[in-house]
Amino acid sequence: MTKLQQIRHFITVDLWHTTDDTIVSKTKRLIYSVLKTIVLSIRGFLDKDLNIRAGGLTYALIFAIVPILAMVLAVAKGFGFESVIEESLQNSFLGQMNMVPMIMGFVTRYLDTTQGGAFIGVGLLVLLWAVYSFFRTVEQSFNQIWNVQQSRSALRQMMNYIFILFLIPILMVVTSGLSILINTATNGWEHILLVHHVKIGLLRFLPFVFAWAAITWMYMAIPNTKVRFVSAVIPGVVIGTLFQLLQMLSVYIIVFLSRTSVVYGAFASIPLLLMWLQWSCLMILVGAEMSYSIQNQEEYEYEKELNTMSRRYQDGVMLYILQVIIRRFEQDETPLPAHQIAQQE
């Protein structure tokens, strides 16, 4: 057997024959868990066509970005901090592309359309439907990754989406407030070089923390199933870091690839925006697949043997599962989920 064949056999067979119960070393157990997560994430990326789903999300986001920003700004105006939202947009990738004035112009005209004239009711319904449709598309994508067949009720979905729209401007204000607090707390100590570097480090690190928290919350809240915190926070930190690095890279691309203006003219920012949205959506979906892989590794142990199981052995397993269910029913105990039934001896 060649080295390549050995590696392939380890990835497809030996890795899944090694369970946590058979590994004594915590370090080795962690390495095997990471390898399983990587293998399952790659399989999910290929089997579930995440690249195509990311394209669909990008298409939906293009249509929904103005209504979403309109709703966020409407909420922000109600609390009196719409200027903070605009400043946050200016500091983002969109601000680097000088697209914020154009987008804000669209948002202002969109809000004017929904607030006046004979079409106030129609405009408001279109705005709400655009926002609802996008968030519903995101939830369906996450549910498909988690193999969840049933979505939340329409009322529950609408309540969750409204909560998100209220949460976004509040988080932006909190982040901006923390930045101001760090600047104020260290103001007057600029002559001390160490304090200056600490302040700069905190300001640069703050967007990463915000991205980690927001993406971790997405992975826990959006799928219509129970997601453990550990399964969400690990991909949340990984994807949040990559998301911030993508923004930094995109800024360098804008600077060093300014020659695209020769080809596209005034539309030079459009392909860059589409590329950024596509990669952002793809990273979010890959992170959701990582979250699913971390939480469901045990389901893929001895997968090859399960797929080739004889009918007699299948009948024996079915009778054993029925025995576990009936025994718990007789003892008036709560039903066990599938993964706990599989762990029964």
Side-chain angles (χ1 to χ4, degrees), residues 79 190 193 228 324:
F79 290 97
E190 295 293 336
L193 187 61
R228 294 195 295 264
V324 173

Side-chain angles (χ1 to χ4, degrees), residues 171-184 203 206:
L171 289 177
M172 286 184 174
V173 171
V174 170
T175 305
S176 177
L178 288 175
S179 300
I180 295 174
L181 180 64
I182 293 172
N183 272 316
T184 304
L203 289 175
L206 195 60

Side-chain angles (χ1 to χ4, degrees), residues 84-97:
V84 177
I85 305 299
E86 294 184 19
E87 183 180 351
S88 299
L89 292 176
Q90 289 288 356
N91 295 330
S92 67
F93 173 69
L94 295 176
Q96 299 295 330
M97 298 178 65

Side-chain angles (χ1 to χ4, degrees), residues 178-190 192-206:
L178 288 175
S179 300
I180 295 174
L181 180 64
I182 293 172
N183 272 316
T184 304
T186 56
N187 196 20
W189 298 88
E190 295 293 336
I192 303 178
L193 187 61
L194 178 61
V195 174
H196 176 69
H197 284 306
V198 168
K199 184 188 78 169
I200 298 300
L202 288 173
L203 289 175
R204 290 180 177 178
F205 192 67
L206 195 60

Side-chain angles (χ1 to χ4, degrees), residues 139 152 160 164 216-225 227:
E139 184 175 341
R152 296 179 177 89
N160 289 344
I164 293 173
T216 299
W217 178 83
M218 285 176 54
Y219 291 152
M220 292 186 66
I222 294 180
N224 190 25
T225 186
V227 181

